[in-house]
Amino acid sequence: MAMTETRPDAAPERAAARDRPVDEPVAAGGLAGILGTGRHAAIGRLWIGTSLVFLVLTGALGGVLGAERLKPDTYNVLNQDNYAQALSLHGVGGLFLFAIPILIGLGTIVVPRQVGADSIAFPRAAAASFWTYLVGGGMVVVSYLINGGPFGGNEKGVDLFLASLGMVVVALVLASVCLATTVLGLRTTGMSLARVPLFAWSVLTAATIWIASLGLLFGLLVLLYVDHRYRLFAFGASTDIDRWLRWTMTPPQVFAYAIPVLGFAGDVVPVFGRTRARRHGLALAAIGAFAGLSFGAWTYLGQSDNPRLYQQFLFVASAIAIVLPVLLFLAFFAETLIHGRPSLGSPLLFASAAMVMVLAGVLTGAIRAVHSLALIDTTADASISHYVLGAVAIAAVGGIHYWWPQVLTRPLKEGLGRLTAVLLLVGVLALALPDLISGLLDERRGSLGAVRDGVEALNAVSFVGGLLVALAALIFIVNLAASLAARSDGDAADPWDGQTLEWTADPVAVTVASATPVLDAKEAAEGGAA
Amino acid sequence: MTLVIADDSIGLPPAPPPARPRVLLIGTGFALAGIVLAFAGLIGLYLGRRAAAIESNRPWLPEGVTIDLTPGNVAMIGLLISAVVVQWAVYSIADDDRPRAYLALGLTVLLGGAYINGMAFNYTQMGITVHDPVGLLIFTITGMHLAMAGAGMIFVGLMAFRALGGQYSGRDREGIVAAAMYWHVTVLVFAVIWFTIFVTK
């Protein structure tokens, strides 16, 4: 045999092994495969699955709290202490264990494909962030179970809460760094920031705001931990921890968790309007402005050291100004639909419902900022939180429906999806709106007691709204389970005639020279065929 | 196969040439933003509480406590020198002068170690404990900065070992630049701490 002759293959497997680069690891299967995965889609699914588990937990707790408020003058199921603890876990769990993580999960799956990257930036850091979140989130729940957390009586349990919430915050910041870096650093050739799909853009802006604001929160948690660990209580005992966390759950910061909702709606509307996205630049600007105005870390001393903050011009002006980008975005949303031929797919219903929630949330936030109404620290705060959480939940469920080829690889039932969207819309409105009216009737948040006439009835409406949300969640879980039990369709399909890169078979191979490259490709192909 | 898609109907200008990948640099920048905000929050709280104490004619520092300026100055000067040295590492690797880059990176880690050692000594001299509200703030802020400097030393050290392994050169020095950027911000944050806690007390 001459030296230049190619050696015959002994077996195809050996040939494949030989062709594989030396440093490419062999993918593990089973549990080792899950624990060691660095694939963005797998990590994203882990984020989504875990955050849904935490949603069920915090949602059930919300149900108990709602039932307790049916007779607001006395404590029935809970007592004063564990009512406050349950309310605290409901808030912390809803925002830090559900809302941000589920959006991170969706972003981790979709964003790399949307920008034409073959993976998320720092895949091992992305995986590490998920496992840190899982352990930290679990310990947050455990800390409440052992009578720790805010309002807890077990000092070590309070220490555990502060440490584990710090872990969760670090995990969320790390995941945000991975996502933001993916959009900024791994975009495919020709995809300038002006051409980035709206969801990817919203994830970039959201991640930036989350990194900054959660970074500040981490500093505070370290301080509170040291304070509490050495039993000095210079910054308050366990009953005061809630004051230090309030800024993360109230306007303007609470709106930062809803930034990707706008991106989801922006990506869905041209697809289901069956037209091109009109005024892409306007939508980018609206999302950017919404993100900028939702940065609320500067209000972190409002509940502790600077109560006059709520009367200051900057606070009031920013609370009102944030309505403008939402209205601008809705104009983009409506104009795209008006100029198209809309089809009422479930993702469009979810997107519309989520935008209603965002609008209701910012309007309530603007009303809350009017000092003479004295709405701060009333149930109006809960109303806004519920609008935001509702918007995130609706967008996340809508995102799973819309991006099922990437998220599930199996379709969800459209009819059940539409029913879920309508139930969530009605349920969240019924859940949140009465709390604003109760707030106007001076019902304080955080404790029960004598209330004015009408508040009891409003609480009942709110409870029914919660039941509708629970019913919607149940339908979604059934739909999800049926989908997961079905046979996989194999390769990612394009069931909606999508317009962004994630709908191409190989986004990495695409060089972008347009704001709507996938649609261009389809039009070019149709034109060529004609 | 590369699919190139053009669009004439929107009338957008031709796409710019692809940017050089700077993933580690961008990621480091984002992480630093979070870290800076963590310090901003704590230093803001420190300044706010101190201003409130001064406004109500209460002493800020507990009786008998002195925050000597000299150890703070020594730490500040040491870190400023380390910032120059780490930049020297960047310029050296840019010139493909690997021995000097190794020396500069090693010196940076050494100066970082000296800073941590100096602050630990300073803690023993200040006469303030974590069991005092002011001490709590000072120990939390400076302690977090020690952790930041420690992480920076690991980052610089890791990049030095990568360089020793032959990874970086004049054409690709992203890791060294990212580590240097981290270190510069570490020095910058300490400059604010030095002014807030050691100079204006």
Side-chain angles (χ1 to χ4, degrees), chain A residues 450-466:
Chain A
V451 291
R452 287 197 193 174
D453 289 346
V455 169
E456 209 168 306
L458 288 166
N459 287 350
V461 175
S462 192
F463 183 68
V464 172

Side-chain angles (χ1 to χ4, degrees), chain A residues 195 215 232 300 305 509 511 513 520, chain B residues 3 5 7 13 30 38 41 49 131:
Chain A
R195 288 172 167 149
L232 185 62
Y300 76 112
D305 286 27
T511 300
D520 291 341
Chain B
L3 175 64
I5 305 159
D7 180 80
F30 275 115
R49 294 247 162 160
H131 298 285

